[in-house]
Amino acid sequence: MEPKRPKLPSDPRVTTRRAMLRDAACGFGYLGLAGALADAGLLRAAADGMGARPLAPREPHFTPKAKQVIFLFMHGGPSSVDTFDPKERLFRDAGKPLPIKRPLAFDDQPPGPLMKPLWKFRPGGDSGIPVSDLFPHMRSVVDDLTVIRSMVGEGVDHGAALLQTFTGSSTFTRPSMGSWAVYGLGTENQDLPGYITIKPALSHGGAKNWSSAFLPGAFQGTAIGHSGLKIEEFKDEPIEYLAHKGFSQEQQRYELDMLQNINRRHAELRKHDPELEARIQAFELAFRMQVKAPEAFEVERESDATKKLYGYDQEVTKDFAWQCMLARRLAERGVRYIQCTHSYKWDQHSDLFRKHTQNAAEVDKPIAGLIKDLKSRGMLDDTLVIWAGEFGRTPVSR
Protein backbone atom coordinates (compact mmCIF):
# COMPACT_ATOMS: atom_id res chain seq x y z
CA MET A 1 0.00 0.00 0.00
CA GLU A 2 1.31 3.40 -0.93
CA PRO A 3 1.92 5.61 2.15
CA LYS A 4 -0.28 8.62 2.52
CA ARG A 5 1.34 11.90 1.70
CA PRO A 6 0.95 14.62 4.31
CA LYS A 7 -1.80 17.04 3.50
CA LEU A 8 -0.32 20.45 2.71
CA PRO A 9 -1.93 23.52 4.22
CA SER A 10 -4.35 25.30 1.94
CA ASP A 11 -2.86 28.67 2.85
CA PRO A 12 0.32 29.09 0.71
CA ARG A 13 1.86 31.33 3.40
CA VAL A 14 1.91 28.38 5.85
CA THR A 15 4.32 25.46 5.46
CA THR A 16 4.96 22.20 7.27
CA ARG A 17 8.22 21.33 9.01
CA ARG A 18 8.93 18.59 6.45
CA ALA A 19 8.32 20.94 3.52
CA MET A 20 10.50 23.59 5.11
CA LEU A 21 13.40 21.14 5.52
CA ARG A 22 12.97 19.89 1.94
CA ASP A 23 12.84 23.39 0.43
CA ALA A 24 15.74 24.64 2.54
CA ALA A 25 18.09 21.71 1.89
CA CYS A 26 20.33 23.77 -0.35
CA GLY A 27 20.27 26.61 2.15
CA PHE A 28 21.65 24.38 4.93
CA GLY A 29 24.36 23.20 2.58
CA TYR A 30 25.36 26.76 1.80
CA LEU A 31 25.41 27.59 5.50
CA GLY A 32 27.85 24.75 6.06
CA LEU A 33 29.99 25.90 3.15
CA ALA A 34 30.02 29.47 4.49
CA GLY A 35 31.16 28.23 7.89
CA ALA A 36 33.95 26.16 6.35
CA LEU A 37 35.16 29.04 4.22
CA ALA A 38 35.06 31.40 7.20
CA ASP A 39 37.09 28.96 9.32
CA ALA A 40 39.66 28.74 6.54
CA GLY A 41 39.89 32.53 6.37
CA LEU A 42 38.61 32.53 2.78
CA LEU A 43 35.33 34.33 3.38
CA ARG A 44 36.41 37.82 4.34
CA ALA A 45 32.92 39.20 4.86
CA ALA A 46 32.20 36.47 7.41
CA ALA A 47 35.61 36.79 8.99
CA ASP A 48 35.51 40.47 9.81
CA GLY A 49 31.82 41.31 9.48
CA MET A 50 32.63 44.20 7.15
CA GLY A 51 33.75 42.71 3.86
CA ALA A 52 35.66 44.78 1.33
CA ARG A 53 33.65 47.92 2.14
CA PRO A 54 34.05 48.56 5.87
CA LEU A 55 32.65 52.10 5.59
CA ALA A 56 29.45 51.02 3.82
CA PRO A 57 26.34 52.41 5.59
CA ARG A 58 24.66 49.94 7.95
CA GLU A 59 21.20 49.85 9.45
CA PRO A 60 21.08 50.67 13.19
CA HIS A 61 19.10 48.65 15.71
CA PHE A 62 16.40 51.33 15.81
CA THR A 63 15.38 54.27 13.66
CA PRO A 64 17.64 57.19 14.63
CA LYS A 65 16.86 60.87 14.47
CA ALA A 66 20.45 62.00 13.86
CA LYS A 67 22.43 60.89 10.82
CA GLN A 68 25.69 62.72 11.49
CA VAL A 69 27.57 64.45 14.31
CA ILE A 70 29.49 67.73 14.41
CA PHE A 71 31.58 67.97 17.59
CA LEU A 72 32.80 71.48 18.48
CA PHE A 73 35.61 71.03 21.00
CA MET A 74 36.87 73.89 23.19
CA HIS A 75 40.38 72.78 24.18
CA GLY A 76 41.59 73.87 27.62
CA GLY A 77 38.53 73.79 29.85
CA PRO A 78 35.96 76.62 29.50
CA SER A 79 34.46 77.65 32.84
CA SER A 80 31.02 76.04 33.06
CA VAL A 81 29.82 78.44 35.79
CA ASP A 82 30.69 81.41 33.55
CA THR A 83 29.06 80.10 30.39
CA PHE A 84 25.94 77.90 30.57
CA ASP A 85 25.67 76.78 34.22
CA PRO A 86 24.84 79.67 36.55
CA LYS A 87 25.07 78.90 40.27
CA GLU A 88 22.86 81.10 42.43
CA ARG A 89 24.86 80.25 45.54
CA LEU A 90 28.02 81.69 43.99
CA PHE A 91 26.30 85.05 43.63
CA ARG A 92 25.02 84.84 47.20
CA ASP A 93 28.18 83.53 48.91
CA ALA A 94 30.91 85.19 46.84
CA GLY A 95 33.95 85.87 49.01
CA LYS A 96 33.14 83.17 51.57
CA PRO A 97 35.39 80.10 52.14
CA LEU A 98 34.88 77.05 49.95
CA PRO A 99 32.20 75.05 51.82
CA ILE A 100 33.28 71.65 50.49
CA LYS A 101 36.46 69.63 50.44
CA ARG A 102 38.75 70.95 47.76
CA PRO A 103 38.61 68.89 44.56
CA LEU A 104 41.74 67.22 43.22
CA ALA A 105 44.40 69.75 42.25
CA PHE A 106 48.05 69.96 41.28
CA ASP A 107 49.28 71.65 44.44
CA ASP A 108 48.52 71.75 48.15
CA GLN A 109 47.90 75.49 48.34
CA PRO A 110 44.70 76.35 50.21
CA PRO A 111 41.91 77.42 47.85
CA GLY A 112 40.82 81.02 47.71
CA PRO A 113 37.29 82.17 48.56
CA LEU A 114 34.28 81.52 46.34
CA MET A 115 34.16 83.68 43.22
CA LYS A 116 30.90 84.57 41.50
CA PRO A 117 30.60 84.44 37.70
CA LEU A 118 32.30 87.35 36.00
CA TRP A 119 29.56 87.76 33.38
CA LYS A 120 25.83 88.34 33.69
CA PHE A 121 23.43 85.58 32.75
CA ARG A 122 20.33 86.46 30.73
CA PRO A 123 17.44 84.25 29.59
CA GLY A 124 17.22 83.54 25.87
CA GLY A 125 14.47 82.55 23.46
CA ASP A 126 11.08 81.17 24.45
CA SER A 127 12.70 78.58 26.70
CA GLY A 128 14.33 81.21 28.90
CA ILE A 129 17.50 79.13 29.30
CA PRO A 130 20.12 81.41 30.90
CA VAL A 131 23.28 82.04 28.89
CA SER A 132 26.09 84.33 29.99
CA ASP A 133 27.04 87.49 28.15
CA LEU A 134 30.07 85.59 26.83
CA PHE A 135 27.81 84.05 24.19
CA PRO A 136 25.20 86.54 22.96
CA HIS A 137 24.98 84.90 19.53
CA MET A 138 24.48 81.42 20.98
CA ARG A 139 21.81 82.89 23.29
CA SER A 140 19.89 83.81 20.12
CA VAL A 141 19.61 80.11 19.17
CA VAL A 142 19.16 78.75 22.69
CA ASP A 143 15.76 77.23 21.84
CA ASP A 144 17.62 74.81 19.56
CA LEU A 145 20.05 73.79 22.33
CA THR A 146 19.94 71.20 25.09
CA VAL A 147 22.15 72.22 28.02
CA ILE A 148 23.53 69.29 30.03
CA ARG A 149 24.91 70.29 33.43
CA SER A 150 25.57 66.85 34.93
CA MET A 151 28.76 65.72 33.20
CA VAL A 152 31.53 64.43 35.48
CA GLY A 153 35.14 63.56 34.59
CA GLU A 154 37.94 61.75 36.37
CA GLY A 155 41.15 63.42 35.13
CA VAL A 156 42.56 66.57 36.68
CA ASP A 157 45.10 67.07 33.89
CA HIS A 158 44.27 67.87 30.31
CA GLY A 159 45.74 64.69 28.82
CA ALA A 160 43.57 62.34 30.88
CA ALA A 161 40.53 64.60 30.50
CA LEU A 162 40.83 64.76 26.70
CA LEU A 163 41.26 61.02 26.47
CA GLN A 164 38.11 60.47 28.52
CA THR A 165 36.18 63.08 26.54
CA PHE A 166 36.95 61.43 23.22
CA THR A 167 37.21 57.75 24.16
CA GLY A 168 35.40 57.34 27.49
CA SER A 169 38.56 56.24 29.32
CA SER A 170 41.05 58.50 31.09
CA THR A 171 43.73 55.82 31.44
CA PHE A 172 43.57 53.33 28.57
CA THR A 173 43.53 53.82 24.83
CA ARG A 174 40.06 53.03 23.51
CA PRO A 175 38.35 53.72 20.18
CA SER A 176 37.26 57.34 19.91
CA MET A 177 33.61 58.34 19.79
CA GLY A 178 33.85 59.06 16.06
CA SER A 179 35.41 55.67 15.37
CA TRP A 180 32.58 53.90 17.19
CA ALA A 181 30.00 55.90 15.23
CA VAL A 182 31.51 54.96 11.87
CA TYR A 183 32.11 51.35 12.98
CA GLY A 184 28.46 50.97 13.94
CA LEU A 185 26.80 52.96 11.18
CA GLY A 186 29.27 53.25 8.30
CA THR A 187 29.11 56.46 6.28
CA GLU A 188 26.86 57.74 3.52
CA ASN A 189 29.70 58.93 1.25
CA GLN A 190 32.15 56.24 0.14
CA ASP A 191 34.41 58.81 -1.54
CA LEU A 192 35.23 60.70 1.68
CA PRO A 193 36.41 59.45 5.09
CA GLY A 194 33.61 58.63 7.52
CA TYR A 195 35.34 60.46 10.37
CA ILE A 196 37.18 63.77 9.84
CA THR A 197 38.79 65.92 12.51
CA ILE A 198 39.55 69.51 11.48
CA LYS A 199 42.62 71.20 13.00
CA PRO A 200 42.92 68.77 15.94
CA ALA A 201 45.28 69.37 18.86
CA LEU A 202 48.56 67.46 18.69
CA SER A 203 49.08 67.82 22.44
CA HIS A 204 47.35 66.03 25.34
CA GLY A 205 47.10 62.67 23.62
CA GLY A 206 47.25 63.78 20.01
CA ALA A 207 46.21 61.02 17.61
CA LYS A 208 44.94 58.83 20.47
CA ASN A 209 41.95 61.17 20.65
CA TRP A 210 40.81 60.24 17.13
CA SER A 211 42.25 56.73 17.06
CA SER A 212 40.31 53.56 16.26
CA ALA A 213 42.43 51.65 18.85
CA PHE A 214 41.47 47.95 18.63
CA LEU A 215 38.92 48.57 15.85
CA PRO A 216 40.10 48.19 12.23
CA GLY A 217 42.18 51.10 10.98
CA ALA A 218 39.51 52.09 8.44
CA PHE A 219 37.50 53.64 11.29
CA GLN A 220 40.13 56.03 12.65
CA GLY A 221 39.75 59.78 12.17
CA THR A 222 41.32 61.58 9.24
CA ALA A 223 43.06 64.74 10.47
CA ILE A 224 42.89 67.90 8.35
CA GLY A 225 45.83 70.06 9.39
CA HIS A 226 46.39 70.72 13.10
CA SER A 227 45.64 73.43 15.64
CA GLY A 228 49.02 75.13 15.20
CA LEU A 229 48.34 76.12 11.59
CA LYS A 230 46.51 79.15 10.30
CA ILE A 231 43.91 78.76 7.59
CA GLU A 232 46.12 80.44 5.00
CA GLU A 233 48.86 77.90 5.68
CA PHE A 234 46.88 74.76 5.06
CA LYS A 235 43.38 75.34 3.72
CA ASP A 236 44.49 74.26 0.21
CA GLU A 237 46.68 71.45 1.54
CA PRO A 238 44.08 68.65 1.21
CA ILE A 239 43.53 69.53 -2.45
CA GLU A 240 47.24 69.87 -3.19
CA TYR A 241 48.14 66.47 -1.78
CA LEU A 242 45.18 64.62 -3.27
CA ALA A 243 46.17 65.30 -6.87
CA HIS A 244 49.22 63.71 -8.49
CA LYS A 245 49.99 66.32 -11.10
CA GLY A 246 52.51 64.13 -12.93
CA PHE A 247 49.95 61.45 -13.94
CA SER A 248 46.54 61.35 -15.54
CA GLN A 249 43.68 59.78 -13.58
CA GLU A 250 43.88 56.65 -15.78
CA GLN A 251 47.61 56.31 -15.06
CA GLN A 252 47.02 56.75 -11.34
CA ARG A 253 44.29 54.08 -11.44
CA TYR A 254 46.68 51.68 -13.18
CA GLU A 255 49.44 52.45 -10.67
CA LEU A 256 47.09 51.88 -7.73
CA ASP A 257 45.77 48.59 -9.20
CA MET A 258 49.30 47.26 -9.54
CA LEU A 259 50.12 48.28 -5.98
CA GLN A 260 46.90 46.77 -4.64
CA ASN A 261 47.61 43.47 -6.39
CA ILE A 262 50.94 43.27 -4.59
CA ASN A 263 49.30 44.22 -1.31
CA ARG A 264 46.58 41.58 -1.75
CA ARG A 265 49.16 38.87 -2.32
CA HIS A 266 51.01 40.07 0.75
CA ALA A 267 47.74 40.03 2.72
CA GLU A 268 47.08 36.42 1.72
CA LEU A 269 50.48 35.39 3.07
CA ARG A 270 49.84 37.26 6.32
CA LYS A 271 46.34 35.83 6.78
CA HIS A 272 44.59 39.15 6.16
CA ASP A 273 46.56 41.30 8.54
CA PRO A 274 44.09 44.03 9.74
CA GLU A 275 46.70 46.80 9.48
CA LEU A 276 47.58 45.84 5.91
CA GLU A 277 43.89 45.54 5.05
CA ALA A 278 43.32 49.04 6.45
CA ARG A 279 46.19 50.34 4.33
CA ILE A 280 44.73 48.78 1.19
CA GLN A 281 41.35 50.35 1.90
CA ALA A 282 43.02 53.71 2.62
CA PHE A 283 44.70 53.66 -0.80
CA GLU A 284 41.33 53.06 -2.48
CA LEU A 285 39.67 55.82 -0.48
CA ALA A 286 42.50 58.25 -1.26
CA PHE A 287 42.05 57.61 -4.98
CA ARG A 288 38.31 58.22 -4.81
CA MET A 289 38.89 61.38 -2.76
CA GLN A 290 40.77 62.99 -5.65
CA VAL A 291 37.44 63.59 -7.36
CA LYS A 292 35.16 64.39 -4.42
CA ALA A 293 37.32 66.02 -1.74
CA PRO A 294 38.54 69.13 -3.62
CA GLU A 295 34.99 70.34 -4.19
CA ALA A 296 34.01 69.64 -0.57
CA PHE A 297 36.92 71.73 0.74
CA GLU A 298 36.20 74.76 -1.45
CA VAL A 299 34.75 76.85 1.35
CA GLU A 300 35.50 80.01 -0.63
CA ARG A 301 32.62 79.10 -2.95
CA GLU A 302 30.09 79.82 -0.19
CA SER A 303 27.94 82.90 -0.74
CA ASP A 304 28.84 86.23 0.83
CA ALA A 305 25.70 86.00 2.96
CA THR A 306 26.75 82.60 4.33
CA LYS A 307 30.29 83.80 5.06
CA LYS A 308 28.87 86.78 6.91
CA LEU A 309 26.50 84.54 8.88
CA TYR A 310 29.45 82.52 10.20
CA GLY A 311 31.74 85.51 10.69
CA TYR A 312 34.18 84.52 7.96
CA ASP A 313 34.39 88.17 6.93
CA GLN A 314 35.88 89.18 10.32
CA GLU A 315 39.43 88.44 11.39
CA VAL A 316 38.56 87.50 14.98
CA THR A 317 36.06 84.80 13.91
CA LYS A 318 37.52 83.78 10.55
CA ASP A 319 39.43 80.69 11.71
CA PHE A 320 36.58 78.96 13.52
CA ALA A 321 34.07 80.18 10.93
CA TRP A 322 36.09 78.32 8.29
CA GLN A 323 36.03 75.15 10.40
CA CYS A 324 32.28 75.37 10.97
CA MET A 325 31.51 76.01 7.29
CA LEU A 326 33.72 73.11 6.28
CA ALA A 327 31.99 70.89 8.86
CA ARG A 328 28.59 71.74 7.37
CA ARG A 329 29.85 71.04 3.84
CA LEU A 330 31.19 67.65 4.92
CA ALA A 331 27.99 66.75 6.77
CA GLU A 332 26.04 67.81 3.69
CA ARG A 333 28.06 65.29 1.68
CA GLY A 334 27.35 62.36 3.99
CA VAL A 335 30.41 62.32 6.27
CA ARG A 336 29.23 60.64 9.46
CA TYR A 337 31.34 62.35 12.13
CA ILE A 338 33.11 65.73 11.93
CA GLN A 339 35.10 67.38 14.67
CA CYS A 340 36.22 71.02 14.93
CA THR A 341 38.75 72.14 17.55
CA HIS A 342 39.22 75.58 18.99
CA SER A 343 42.90 75.40 19.85
CA TYR A 344 44.35 75.20 23.35
CA LYS A 345 43.18 78.61 24.60
CA TRP A 346 40.68 77.97 27.40
CA ASP A 347 43.19 77.00 30.12
CA GLN A 348 42.88 80.13 32.24
CA HIS A 349 44.63 79.91 35.61
CA SER A 350 44.66 83.72 35.73
CA ASP A 351 43.32 86.70 33.79
CA LEU A 352 40.07 84.81 33.30
CA PHE A 353 37.91 87.76 32.27
CA ARG A 354 40.12 89.02 29.45
CA LYS A 355 41.07 85.63 28.00
CA HIS A 356 37.65 83.98 28.21
CA THR A 357 36.15 87.10 26.60
CA GLN A 358 38.61 86.80 23.71
CA ASN A 359 38.10 83.04 23.33
CA ALA A 360 34.31 83.28 23.30
CA ALA A 361 34.42 86.10 20.73
CA GLU A 362 36.29 83.77 18.35
CA VAL A 363 33.68 80.99 18.44
CA ASP A 364 30.33 82.51 19.45
CA LYS A 365 29.23 83.83 16.06
CA PRO A 366 30.53 80.85 14.01
CA ILE A 367 28.69 78.35 16.25
CA ALA A 368 25.42 80.31 16.13
CA GLY A 369 25.90 80.66 12.37
CA LEU A 370 26.33 76.90 12.03
CA ILE A 371 23.11 76.23 13.97
CA LYS A 372 21.16 78.75 11.89
CA ASP A 373 22.61 77.48 8.61
CA LEU A 374 21.86 73.84 9.41
CA LYS A 375 18.31 74.77 10.41
CA SER A 376 17.68 76.80 7.24
CA ARG A 377 18.84 73.85 5.11
CA GLY A 378 16.70 71.34 7.01
CA MET A 379 19.83 69.60 8.32
CA LEU A 380 19.43 70.38 12.01
CA ASP A 381 16.71 67.74 12.25
CA ASP A 382 19.23 64.97 11.59
CA THR A 383 22.55 66.54 12.66
CA LEU A 384 23.68 66.33 16.29
CA VAL A 385 25.91 69.30 17.19
CA ILE A 386 27.94 68.89 20.39
CA TRP A 387 29.73 71.76 22.17
CA ALA A 388 32.08 70.75 24.99
CA GLY A 389 35.43 71.16 26.70
CA GLU A 390 37.40 68.52 28.60
CA PHE A 391 36.41 69.95 32.01
CA GLY A 392 35.29 73.15 33.73
CA ARG A 393 36.77 75.42 36.42
CA THR A 394 36.58 75.35 40.21
CA PRO A 395 34.69 78.52 41.28
CA VAL A 396 37.32 79.92 43.63
CA SER A 397 39.60 82.93 43.24
CA ARG A 398 42.77 80.79 43.24
Side-chain angles (χ1 to χ4, degrees):
M1 178 182 290
E2 186 176 342
K4 290 184 177 181
R5 294 185 177 181
K7 187 176 181 180
L8 296 176
S10 57
D11 188 342
R13 295 174 297 177
V14 179
T15 186
T16 65
R17 182 176 61 180
R18 181 175 299 176
M20 185 275 291
L21 291 171
R22 182 187 66 240
D23 294 340
C26 288
F28 285 138
Y30 287 135
L31 286 174
L33 175 61
L37 291 174
D39 291 341
L42 299 176
L43 191 62
R44 189 173 302 121
D48 62 14
M50 301 295 173
R53 296 178 63 221
L55 298 179
R58 288 178 286 282
E59 290 296 323
H61 296 294
F62 54 87
T63 303
K65 185 175 181 180
K67 292 182 179 179
Q68 56 267 324
V69 175
I70 298 176
F71 186 4
L72 309 175
F73 180 61
M74 307 293 110
H75 188 187
S79 173
S80 55
V81 298
D82 289 291
T83 53
F84 298 97
D85 190 12
K87 301 293 187 184
E88 291 301 324
R89 185 170 179 179
L90 289 179
F91 289 95
R92 185 179 71 244
D93 294 345
K96 295 181 180 180
L98 184 67
I100 59 174
K101 182 181 178 181
R102 185 181 184 176
L104 291 173
F106 285 111
D107 56 55
D108 297 326
Q109 296 294 323
L114 291 175
M115 184 175 70
K116 67 179 182 181
L118 302 180
W119 294 267
K120 289 184 178 181
F121 279 81
R122 307 176 197 273
D126 295 330
S127 62
I129 295 174
V131 178
S132 89
D133 285 347
L134 270 174
F135 294 105
H137 292 283
M138 289 180 68
R139 187 190 292 129
S140 70
V141 296
V142 73
D143 286 342
D144 294 312
L145 307 182
T146 297
V147 181
I148 301 175
R149 301 183 174 123
S150 56
M151 302 299 293
V152 178
E154 299 169 353
V156 298
D157 62 286
H158 295 279
L162 259 74
L163 197 62
Q164 186 171 25
T165 298
F166 293 117
T167 72
S169 171
S170 62
T171 53
F172 299 103
T173 300
R174 293 286 186 267
S176 61
M177 185 161 44
S179 295
W180 278 120
V182 180
Y183 174 78
L185 299 174
T187 184
E188 298 294 332
N189 191 330
Q190 297 300 296
D191 298 325
L192 291 170
Y195 174 17
I196 293 177
T197 176
I198 305 168
K199 293 189 67 176
L202 299 182
S203 60
H204 300 141
K208 290 181 181 179
N209 295 315
W210 62 87
S211 162
S212 59
F214 51 73
L215 295 179
F219 305 109
Q220 68 185 6
T222 297
I224 304 300
H226 60 78
S227 59
L229 295 178
K230 296 180 180 179
I231 303 173
E232 292 74 15
E233 295 179 276
F234 86 100
K235 67 181 180 181
D236 294 327
E237 182 184 271
I239 300 173
E240 178 182 345
Y241 285 101
L242 282 172
H244 194 319
K245 298 178 181 178
F247 294 103
S248 66
Q249 190 168 359
E250 291 75 17
Q251 290 172 321
Q252 291 179 66
R253 179 72 256 180
Y254 177 78
E255 180 184 45
L256 178 61
D257 287 342
M258 294 293 288
L259 179 61
Q260 297 293 59
N261 285 336
I262 297 172
N263 283 334
R264 288 292 179 196
R265 292 178 186 175
H266 192 191
E268 291 292 334
L269 295 175
R270 299 181 63 174
K271 303 297 183 184
H272 302 296
D273 179 358
E275 291 187 6
L276 182 56
E277 188 65 32
R279 194 174 300 120
I280 292 171
Q281 292 156 2
F283 281 139
E284 289 289 350
L285 176 59
F287 180 80
R288 298 194 302 271
M289 282 177 65
Q290 292 181 83
V291 176
K292 299 294 183 180
E295 187 273 336
F297 283 90
E298 290 177 350
V299 173
E300 295 292 342
R301 297 178 63 178
E302 295 289 332
S303 69
D304 291 340
T306 299
K307 293 175 183 176
K308 187 174 182 179
L309 176 67
Y310 282 80
Y312 189 67
D313 59 337
Q314 300 171 0
E315 194 60 34
V316 68
T317 50
K318 187 173 184 178
D319 184 281
F320 207 68
W322 180 82
Q323 291 194 53
C324 288
M325 279 195 292
L326 178 56
R328 190 222 78 214
R329 291 175 67 86
L330 293 172
E332 210 170 24
R333 287 156 178 77
V335 176
R336 182 73 69 188
Y337 197 97
I338 309 109
Q339 183 177 302
C340 304
T341 299
H342 189 238
S343 59
Y344 184 44
K345 293 183 176 183
W346 294 87
D347 189 11
Q348 269 75 76
H349 291 264
S350 62
D351 203 5
L352 177 69
F353 185 84
R354 183 180 67 84
K355 292 180 179 178
H356 257 43
T357 298
Q358 177 182 327
N359 296 338
E362 293 176 2
V363 302
D364 180 33
K365 188 173 183 178
I367 294 171
L370 173 64
I371 299 296
K372 293 175 182 177
D373 196 17
L374 290 172
K375 192 171 184 177
S376 69
R377 296 170 188 267
M379 294 177 63
L380 193 58
D381 292 337
D382 56 18
T383 303
L384 176 63
V385 181
I386 303 173
W387 182 96
E390 64 267 38
F391 46 50
R393 295 278 147 191
T394 306
V396 292
S397 61
R398 68 173 184 270

